[in-house]
Amino acid sequence: MLTSLYLKDFAVVSEADVAYGPGLTVVSGETGAGKSLMVDALLLLTGARADAGMVRHGAERAELSAEFDLVDAPEARAWLREAELDEGDGCQIRRVIRADGGSRAWINGRPATLAQLGELGERLVEIHGQHEHQALLSRAHQLALLDAFGGHQAQADEVRRLAGEWSAVARRLQALSASGDVADRITYLEHQLTELGDEALAAEDIDALLAAHKRQANAAGLIRGCESALARLSGDEGFSLDGTLRQVRSELARLLDDEPRLREVDGLLDSVAIQLDEAVAALERVRDSLDIDPERLQELEARLARLHDLARKHRVPLGGLATRRDELAAELESLRGAGEQAERLAREQSRLAADWHRAAQSLSALRVETAAALADAVSALMDELGMRGGRFVAELEPADTGSPDPQGLERVEFLVSANPGQPPRPLRKVASGGELSRISLAIEVAALGLDSVPTMVFDEVDSGIGGGVAEVVGRKLRALGAKRQVLCVTHLPQVAALAHRHYRVSKDVSDGATHSAVAALDQAARIEELARMLGGVEITRETRAHARQMLERGQAA
């Protein structure tokens, strides 16, 4: 439910902050005062494209903001949660339109796109009036409303579910067929795996191969280095590290009696001597293990060359060959069962298609009955709403689809004939805005309580009517307000008298500029406004008495 609407520097409105409540709220005012600006603001806040001309002359930007209570809007609450824009049980939509033509929007303080405004807006507000942006003009919405009116939403959901499952199976079958000739692919994969299987591809195996190749390629240098180190350690080159250590320990031994702390030094040198002997032994083992073997080097280079060739072929580094082998093995395993899988999926697809067709046929039978009932109900209401002899038709036509369709076997088109003798035409092509508004009202009243959108706005719904028909329109709007929040821009006192609350839009010209203001009316002010709407230039005592009587009767309805 809309709880407040704030406008600043919007068209002729300098600033207005309007609070709303449940039931029927009407907005009235003199021609040109800006009664429909609140409707325009709601359109912009729910995704309509902005026009820089809506910015008040002399201002840099127009600011619009609406706040909603989401207690009666579960679909909007779910959408906000999914979009991660939720903020408890409330929602604020804000939009700024700059004089240079740019605009920005926010949902609960977070930047939002126009598409997001539209998606959220269609779950919060439904606007009927002399404009093209109406949910009832959408054929998808018409079909959903027909299903809601007939109470067969569960059957529609089942049709949608089966169509979705059928499409998922179809995509899996398409993915299998996209792989081409399975037999050729299997042969190719087997060849690739044979090549890779002949090699040791584990990370430790490749590391060992690289180390062995490096060692063999540098064998001569390694041998020379080991022999040189041994010569230096053993004293073959004139200096012996081992001999020097023995000499130092011998000299320290003579000093031990005089300085006991030197025993620790002697112990450390003893450890050095042991480690030196171990180092010499290790060097000898390494030297003895090294061998200049051209054939071994050639073998290692050949193995490395094969691995590099495989890596280039499969476009992976050496270390990625094992992973690539496992991927090919997994694909091969999958393809070996592809034939059986395709047959199983084809059987599943046929079963789902048959189930969908049965469910869709059952839904179609229900829709035929519902279309007739909805047509009778709306046609009767059209007669009450001043379109005597008018006719409403919910025309079902086959859907041109070759596969299970989420919406079923048919589409619906709402057709209307506003006058006797005229053939019904699509609702979206009705020329008169007033007729379109009243037909929309008739549909909403016929489907009372079935629409999930919590707030409905009717702009000039009473255009072109008066007298008793105007009172009927007001009563229908009030009845609708018992189920949903209803906002109505009107110029008829018969409609205004039946509202739960009443706002007046007035304009004033000062300093060469027009200013509009919005005011909530109390009982006395409502009588004055109704009298203005009833009377002409001069409001008489009789006119006020009539207005008071009309208001009292309307509030008692």
Side-chain angles (χ1 to χ4, degrees), residues 229-500:
L230 285 169
R232 290 176 180 274
L233 291 173
S234 63
D236 291 348
E237 295 187 359
F239 172 78
S240 170
L241 188 56
D242 183 58
T244 301
L245 277 172
R246 287 196 298 271
Q247 182 180 354
V248 171
R249 292 189 66 196
S250 176
E251 292 176 356
L252 289 176
R254 294 194 296 269
L255 305 174
L256 292 178
D257 292 338
D258 298 330
E259 179 53 77
R261 289 179 297 176
L262 292 175
R263 293 186 185 278
E264 182 181 355
V265 177
D266 182 64
L268 292 172
L269 291 175
D270 184 48
S271 298
V272 171
I274 293 171
Q275 292 186 29
L276 184 61
D277 290 342
E278 291 177 355
V280 170
L283 269 172
E284 289 174 343
R285 287 194 300 273
V286 171
R287 180 198 61 191
D288 295 342
S289 70
L290 295 170
D291 186 18
I292 301 176
D293 186 349
E295 292 183 1
R296 173 64 175 161
L297 178 60
Q298 187 176 3
E299 176 191 344
L300 294 171
E301 287 180 342
R303 285 183 61 192
L304 270 177
R306 287 198 302 272
L307 290 179
H308 281 296
D309 287 343
L310 287 171
R312 283 192 295 271
K313 180 177 181 179
H314 292 280
R315 298 180 180 179
V316 295
L318 282 180
L321 283 171
T323 300
R324 180 59 178 157
R325 177 198 59 203
D326 295 341
E327 290 173 349
L328 294 175
E331 183 183 355
L332 179 60
E333 183 66 24
S334 173
L335 288 179
R336 280 174 175 160
E340 295 179 3
Q341 186 181 8
E343 291 178 4
R344 181 180 61 79
L345 288 174
R347 289 194 299 271
E348 179 70 4
Q349 190 178 37
S350 297
R351 182 191 67 78
L352 287 168
D355 290 349
W356 174 87
H357 194 72
R358 284 192 295 271
Q361 283 184 319
S362 298
L363 179 59
S364 294
L366 294 171
R367 283 172 171 171
V368 169
E369 295 179 5
T370 300
L374 180 63
D376 291 342
V378 175
S379 295
L381 286 164
M382 287 173 63
D383 193 64
E384 290 184 59
L385 294 174
M387 289 177 281
R388 193 169 301 280
R391 187 159 58 98
F392 175 87
V393 178
E395 184 178 76
L396 294 170
E397 53 190 43
D400 186 17
T401 59
S403 58
D405 188 287
Q407 296 186 66
L409 288 166
E410 59 279 313
R411 299 291 183 268
V412 68
E413 176 84 78
F414 287 175
L415 308 176
V416 291
S417 170
N419 300 295
Q422 292 183 345
R425 298 176 57 216
L427 180 64
R428 52 193 165 83
K429 294 183 179 178
V430 172
S432 166
E435 289 177 350
L436 179 57
S437 295
R438 277 178 280 156
I439 293 166
S440 299
L441 175 62
I443 294 171
E444 289 295 344
V445 172
L448 193 62
L450 300 176
D451 198 326
S452 61
V453 179
T455 299
M456 287 178 287
V457 180
F458 293 90
D459 185 15
E460 300 286 355
V461 69
D462 46 23
S463 175
I465 62 172
V469 174
E471 186 172 344
V472 171
V473 169
R475 290 184 179 275
K476 298 300 181 186
L477 287 169
R478 188 177 178 90
L480 196 58
K483 296 282 186 176
R484 295 285 185 269
Q485 182 187 41
V486 179
L487 311 179
C488 178
V489 176
T490 185
H491 65 277
L492 292 179
Q494 294 93 330
V495 173
L498 283 152
H500 296 96

